[in-house]
Amino acid sequence: MEKILFGITNLCVGGAERVLVDIANKISDNYEIEIFTIYSKRRI
């Protein structure tokens, strides 16, 4: 099975996050999906 890695800064509530999860769910029958997040509690 082919693999797909998605990268996003975080998975907090928001539009881009929701779209990413929806896409991952739709294609998960045909691909092995991983989601890579970069999250920091520190605000700049």
Side-chain angles (χ1 to χ4, degrees):
M1 182 177 288
E2 293 187 55
K3 299 178 182 182
I4 297 178
L5 173 66
F6 289 103
I8 193 164
T9 54
N10 64 49
L11 282 176
C12 294
V13 178
E17 294 83 359
R18 184 67 210 168
V19 169
L20 174 60
V21 171
D22 287 345
I23 290 171
N25 284 330
K26 290 274 186 186
I27 65 174
S28 65
D29 290 339
N30 300 319
Y31 299 94
E32 184 177 326
I33 305 297
E34 292 192 32
I35 298 175
F36 175 76
T37 62
I38 301 171
Y39 177 76
S40 174
K41 292 183 180 181
R42 191 176 115 206
R43 295 194 179 237
I44 298 175

